[in-house]
């Protein structure tokens, strides 16, 4: 709907500037149609930056951790050269595959201490806050869009985090 308002405003502005005869009505039409062009651009920009008109719904899934390599551990690997962020590899009890949680702009990882070894995966999704935003942003693909994921590892005192070596780069001639 916002894109439709932008198109209508652009066509009205073209009509007012190019096709209308000079008059007071023309000036008013130019100002109103310019507002119809600028308002949707402003709404789209603010929505992109701050998700105005949307609520962030969080769903959390708890999964019990399984020991890796017959040890009470999960492994981590530093990302980048600053070694501020880590990628974690872990097993969950329900399946035998190794899972990886790698931080990015939309994914974050945390370590907490507790009594039960588990990973809580919190997914953040956008939902319309009211009917007006549902109409304005219809067809934008924002409804239900995943905007973030948080992996929170809860480890008891007897579990450990094992550092993995980063693969070194070798130079070939």
């Amino acid at each position: 709907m916002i894109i439709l308002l932008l198109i209508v405003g652009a066509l009205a502005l073209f009509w007012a500037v190019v096709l209308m005869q000079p008059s007071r009505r023309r000036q008013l039409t130019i100002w109103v149609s310019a507002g119809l062009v600028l308002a949707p651009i402003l709404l789209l920009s603010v929505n992109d930056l701050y998700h105005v008109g949307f609520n962030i719904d969080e769903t959390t899934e708890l999964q019990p951790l399984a020991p890796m390599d017959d040890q009470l551990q999960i492994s981590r690997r530093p990302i980048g050269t600053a070694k501020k962020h880590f990628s974690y590899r872990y097993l969950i009890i329900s399946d035998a595959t190794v899972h990886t949680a790698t931080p990015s702009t939309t994914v974050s990882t945390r370590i907490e201490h507790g009594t039960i070894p588990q990973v809580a995966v919190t997914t953040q999704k956008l939902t319309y806050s009211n009917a007006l935003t549902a109409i304005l942003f219809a067809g934008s693909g924002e409804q239900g869009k995943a905007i973030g994921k948080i992996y929170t590892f809860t480890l008891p005192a007897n579990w450990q985090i094992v550092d993995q070596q980063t693969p070194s780069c070798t130079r070939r001639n």
Side-chain angles (χ1 to χ4, degrees):
M1 184 69 175
I2 278 187
I3 301 298
L4 185 61
L5 285 174
L6 180 65
I7 291 170
V8 168
L11 290 174
L13 184 61
F14 170 78
W15 177 71
V17 171
V18 176
L19 301 176
M20 281 184 81
Q21 297 296 324
S23 67
R24 280 183 98 30
R25 190 176 189 188
R26 178 182 181 204
Q27 289 179 350
L28 179 64
T29 307
I30 288 173
W31 284 105
V32 169
S33 58
L36 280 176
V37 170
L38 293 177
I41 292 172
L42 181 68
L43 276 173
L44 288 171
S45 299
V46 170
N47 179 13
D48 190 44
L49 291 173
Y50 303 108
H51 304 296
V52 171
F54 289 91
N55 293 328
I56 298 174
D57 286 343
E58 292 184 349
T59 56
T60 302
E61 181 183 352
L62 294 174
Q63 300 170 335
L65 291 174
M68 286 186 66
D69 302 326
D70 297 325
Q71 301 287 326
L72 298 176
Q73 67 185 17
I74 63 173
S75 64
R76 73 177 176 187
R77 175 178 289 165
I79 295 176
T81 56
K83 297 184 180 182
K84 290 182 181 178
H85 303 286
F86 296 94
S87 171
Y88 293 95
R89 294 182 60 208
Y90 62 95
L91 285 173
I92 57 173
I93 289 178
S94 62
D95 62 5
T97 60
V98 176
H99 298 274
T100 304
T102 304
S104 66
T105 55
T106 58
V107 176
S108 64
T109 58
R110 287 187 252 188
I111 299 288
E112 294 180 353
H113 299 287
T115 57
I116 300 172
Q118 64 186 6
V119 60
V121 182
T122 303
T123 305
Q124 300 169 329
K125 293 184 179 185
L126 293 176
T127 57
Y128 296 127
S129 60
N130 55 38
L132 177 63
T133 56
I135 292 169
L136 285 175
F137 295 104
S140 67
E142 297 287 313
Q143 174 71 7
K145 178 181 175 184
I147 59 167
K149 200 174 254 193
I150 303 167
Y151 291 88
T152 305
F153 295 95
T154 304
L155 300 175
N158 61 344
W159 278 63
Q160 53 184 308
I161 301 170
V162 177
D163 288 327
Q164 287 184 328
Q165 297 295 333
T166 57
S168 61
C169 297
T170 56
R171 186 175 171 186
R172 293 186 179 189
N173 292 331

